């Protein structure tokens, strides 16, 4: 599925006040909670893992801090 297809279904666009690029990992919980209810979480996480430059919360994971842990579950 091309990235643009799943991104159009991302729940994050309905939460403009939630910070998906927090300075600290501990502040990522609000974004994670949105991701946990998102129908394209799996596609989003795979997309983020494929790019070494990913920063922020994607698919419920905070990058780059949780990149290694996310890869172990692929
Ligand atoms: S998983 Fe999270 S960051 Fe990815 S599209 Fe869904 S809400 Fe947005």
């Amino acid at each position: 599925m091309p990235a643009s297809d799943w991104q159009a279904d991302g729940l994050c666009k309905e939460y403009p006040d939630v910070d998906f690029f927090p300075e600290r990992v501990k502040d990522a919980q609000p974004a994670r909670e949105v991701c946990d209810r998102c129908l394209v979480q799996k596609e989003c996480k795979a997309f983020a893992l494929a790019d070494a430059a990913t920063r922020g919360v994607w698919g419920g994971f905070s990058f780059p801090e949780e990149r290694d842990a996310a890869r172990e579950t692929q």
Side-chain angles (χ1 to χ4, degrees), residues 26-71:
K26 71 175 189 168
D27 295 329
Q29 190 57 29
R32 290 180 210 265
E33 290 175 5
V34 174
C35 293
D36 285 346
R37 295 185 289 112
C38 180
L39 297 178
V40 293
Q41 185 176 18
K42 182 178 177 182
E43 290 85 351
C44 180
K45 178 180 161 187
F47 177 79
L49 284 171
D51 186 347
T54 299
R55 296 293 181 271
V57 178
W58 296 71
F61 286 86
S62 181
F63 290 85
E65 295 84 358
E66 297 177 330
R67 183 185 308 278
D68 292 342
R71 282 184 170 147

Side-chain angles (χ1 to χ4, degrees), residues 7 9 11-12 17-18 22-23 25 31 35 46 49 52 59 61 64 66 69-70:
Q7 287 179 340
D9 292 328
L11 191 59
C12 44
D17 295 334
V18 173
E23 291 285 325
V25 175
C35 293
L49 284 171
F61 286 86
E66 297 177 330

Side-chain angles (χ1 to χ4, degrees), residues 2-21:
S4 59
D5 288 351
W6 65 260
Q7 287 179 340
D9 292 328
L11 191 59
C12 44
K13 68 179 185 231
E14 296 180 23
Y15 292 86
D17 295 334
V18 173
D19 185 4
F20 283 80
F21 298 92

